[in-house]
Amino acid sequence: MNRHESYRHEFTTFADGSDASLTLHRITGGRDGPTVGISGAVHGNENTGSQTIRELFPVLRDSALSGSVLLLPVANPRAFAANKRYTPVDEMNLNRVFPGTTGGWFSEHLAHAITGEFLEKIDIHVDLHSGTDRPTVDYVYIMNAEPLSRAFGSRVLYRPRPDTGGTSYSGTTKDVTVARRGIPSVVVELGGGIVDQGPYVRRSVAGVLNILRAAGVLAGDPAPPPAQTVVGGIEIIRPTHGGWLETEAPPLGEPIAGEAVLGRVVSPYTFEELEVIRSPVARGIMILSHLTRNLVEPGDYGYMVGDLDAAAH
């Protein structure tokens, strides 16, 4: 029989008199095993992971576990409530200030609380990210736990090259779990967009349960992964004009040729075409896209294309 404990960790007070807190759930099984931490909404406008944890909770509560699962469904509550990527109190990116400090900005207080109450109490970390309410994303990082990353079941994985700019994880949850603690870490990027999140949540639930089987926390053999492509480089393409972004890219997980049109930015006022966005990768694979006509500002996330010339199966 599992034991379940839900609790709030209060760590400071806001000017409006309310408490800044984290809500956590620990489900402990009847047999020894590792503690797996599952977190969502480090970025407040990425709530597909939080929905996934909500659906996982009753399944894990009623399943025989070896070890325990520590759930942090909403890592950044103020940003989550405001549907903002950054913490509204200080406009900082929570996932760039770990392990945090009690002597800094509020986001650093929050990171310090997450580190002490969550990251330092787990043996395996599964961190659920997604697109926002506009772009949709689909890939999984390979950090230091390739079998667990593959067990999630995504068709595209990303193995960052340590010598590539933009792939430093200093100040992130990955930095605390991988570099500082050396524990297995899986970072999932799945979902988002102005579309039904149900299919992405169901995929995420199935993927996390398969990771738990691979880790020995749930009984049974993990399902084998599908055919997978590992990319060693990702190009982020941002619009330079604001307006309607109208996508012409292939579906996520599908190849795209160099210079092929990803999308076009069109003025909502004059209807003129302001920009044609093309793939900068000679042989690419789609991993982030806009699935509907979305309003964008200059510099927003437009597309992410994996580099197939830096790929391995």
Side-chain angles (χ1 to χ4, degrees), residues 8-279:
R8 286 165 58 92
H9 171 67
E10 298 173 354
F11 58 93
T12 191
T13 305
F14 291 115
D16 63 7
S18 62
D19 292 318
S21 64
L22 297 171
T23 301
L24 299 105
H25 305 265
R26 181 182 289 275
I27 304 170
T28 304
R31 295 184 294 273
D32 290 339
T35 296
V36 179
I38 306 172
S39 55
V42 168
H43 294 128
N45 60 354
E46 300 178 5
N47 75 44
T48 310
S50 300
Q51 294 186 51
T52 297
I53 294 172
R54 183 264 176 273
E55 299 298 330
L56 279 167
F57 172 71
V59 177
L60 296 174
R61 183 190 55 197
D62 298 334
S63 299
L65 302 180
S66 296
S68 62
V69 178
L70 185 60
L71 303 175
L72 178 60
V74 181
N76 196 340
R78 286 261 161 151
F80 179 82
N83 192 34
K84 300 293 186 183
R85 178 178 180 85
Y86 298 147
T87 312
V89 177
D90 51 27
E91 293 299 327
M92 295 183 72
N93 183 346
L94 173 61
N95 208 30
R96 291 296 183 271
V97 297
F98 283 92
T101 175
T102 58
W105 295 92
F106 169 73
S107 291
E108 294 174 294
H109 282 252
L110 175 56
H112 184 267
I114 293 170
T115 297
E117 292 299 313
F118 180 74
L119 296 175
E120 291 181 345
K121 295 185 176 182
I122 60 179
D123 304 307
I124 299 170
H125 186 204
V126 180
D127 193 17
L128 301 176
H129 291 252
S130 68
T132 66
D133 57 358
R134 293 183 183 180
T136 306
V137 68
D138 190 349
Y139 70 103
V140 173
Y141 282 86
I142 295 176
M143 303 298 299
N144 63 343
E146 184 164 341
L148 296 183
S149 293
R150 288 186 178 274
F152 184 81
S154 286
R155 292 170 52 200
V156 180
L157 299 100
Y158 171 43
R159 192 194 314 275
R161 297 189 299 259
D163 59 340
T164 301
T167 60
S168 170
Y169 299 120
S170 177
T172 67
T173 57
K174 298 182 281 293
D175 176 45
V176 174
T177 55
V178 176
R180 296 170 185 260
R181 297 201 57 219
I183 68 171
S185 179
V186 177
V187 178
V188 175
E189 297 272 3
L190 179 61
I194 310 177
V195 295
D196 178 17
Q197 296 300 294
Y200 300 117
V201 171
R202 289 189 288 274
R203 273 185 56 194
S204 292
V205 168
V208 172
L209 292 176
N210 208 48
I211 287 174
L212 294 176
R213 294 187 194 97
V217 174
L218 283 177
D221 294 328
Q228 295 175 318
T229 297
V230 179
V231 298
I234 290 177
E235 292 291 334
I236 301 174
I237 303 100
R238 302 177 186 272
T240 60
H241 291 271
W244 293 121
L245 179 57
E246 302 186 345
T247 288
E248 297 181 20
L252 294 173
E254 296 299 317
I256 184 166
E259 295 299 316
V261 174
L262 291 164
R264 303 173 191 270
V265 179
V266 175
S267 168
Y269 307 99
T270 66
F271 316 129
E272 67 179 310
E273 183 178 280
L274 303 176
E275 180 179 5
V276 179
I277 302 175
R278 298 182 182 274
S279 176

